[in-house]
Amino acid sequence: MKQIIIKEGDSGQRLDKYLGKYLKEAPKSFLYKMMRKKNITLNGKKAQGNEILKAMDEIRLFLAPETIEKFQGEEKKGVYRKLDIPYEDDQVLFVNKPAGILSQKASREDISLVEYITGYLQNKEGAEAEMGGGFRPGVCNRLDRNTSGLVAAGKTVKGLQSLSECFKNRSIHKYYLALVKGTVRKPAHIRGFLKKDEKENQVTIWDREVPGSLYIETRYKPLEISGKGDTLLEVELLTGRSHQIRGHLAAMGHPVIGDRKYGENKCNNRYDREYGVKSQLLHAWKLVFPKEEGVLEGLSERTVTAEPPEIFQKVLRGEGFSEKVYRENKGDAES
């Protein structure tokens, strides 16, 4: 018999979801059969699977040790990498993701930011108490591989659920820095429709709805214009579609510099030649939270900000942008 005491980090999720992670190789039908036969019990009673777990709940598995070992499979391990973490509390953390790293796995063999976050937490003292035995961190927003900046992650079930709900209901204001080709003198609130070609992993922007398209909204304002006529924008993402900022700005005639998919080769080649720019100069800069209570109380009316990567700052310095442009109004987040 295997006894499991639910930790705080695992509370708030359904029993069947917890069992599906703890015995991840077991078919769902097996888990429900074991609950019906009382080979899996919750607090000494027959379980249905839809019960919401609380800290200190007791699960008993009346299964052979070899059966448990078989269905647990290979333990999920994290990979250690030093992370830039602008904010962390006992429920959530925010990572300043470098360009070139996936937010989540695209294939089984990938190592993504999720694995790095898992490794970071596994190396922390008391990590098991924070995360719980069956829970592994998950991210609430995804950035393109070659876009840098803030990725929000839940360290507990409650943290992940609450943070994901904030992104879903759009109560968080999301701001990006984008260095774009050409001169933009006035702020704008632009709307359109985005259609993605999944096979080519590329989007097209329309001014009207077409079959398979999704409505998009993007707001931007110029922060400064360089001596050579390119513009640093603050972009507010109002709808979060794949490639939205890159596609929308390119459709307006101001592609993000360094963007080889939607940008202009001549412009990109200059920035590559002079600064070594290999990917789009688009950075998830700030997340501004509304008044929060409960699990996310630590983020109430707080702004979390991520420093642009060195290559981005190098370009801004080289093109004559003032440093205060991207450093002022950084927010009040603390590690």
Side-chain angles (χ1 to χ4, degrees), residues 66-95:
E66 55 267 27
T67 300
I68 295 174
E69 184 176 343
K70 170 188 171 184
F71 286 137
Q72 283 187 318
E74 185 179 352
E75 185 182 358
K76 185 178 179 182
K77 293 287 187 183
V79 181
Y80 183 75
R81 176 192 176 108
K82 187 175 181 180
L83 299 176
D84 178 4
I85 300 176
Y87 176 87
E88 179 179 5
D89 61 28
D90 59 352
Q91 299 289 337
V92 300
L93 63 80
F94 295 81
V95 177

Side-chain angles (χ1 to χ4, degrees), residues 230-285:
D230 293 330
T231 308
L232 180 65
L233 296 180
E234 177 189 88
V235 182
E236 184 177 4
L237 189 62
L238 300 175
T239 55
R241 310 299 187 190
S242 178
H243 296 193
Q244 177 180 325
I245 294 176
R246 296 163 62 194
H248 217 174
L249 291 176
M252 300 300 295
H254 298 290
V256 177
I257 287 167
D259 190 343
R260 291 292 178 177
K261 183 163 287 190
Y262 303 104
E264 182 188 273
N265 283 337
K266 183 178 179 181
C267 178
N268 289 339
N269 289 341
R270 177 177 85 81
Y271 279 88
D272 185 6
R273 183 173 62 253
E274 295 184 16
Y275 301 103
V277 172
K278 303 296 184 185
S279 58
Q280 61 262 15
L281 293 178
L282 178 64
H283 177 72
W285 186 29

Side-chain angles (χ1 to χ4, degrees), residues 50-62:
N50 61 354
E51 296 86 352
I52 302 299
L53 296 174
K54 302 183 297 296
M56 301 308 294
D57 277 348
E58 179 195 55
I59 299 172
R60 292 191 177 188
L61 307 178
F62 294 94

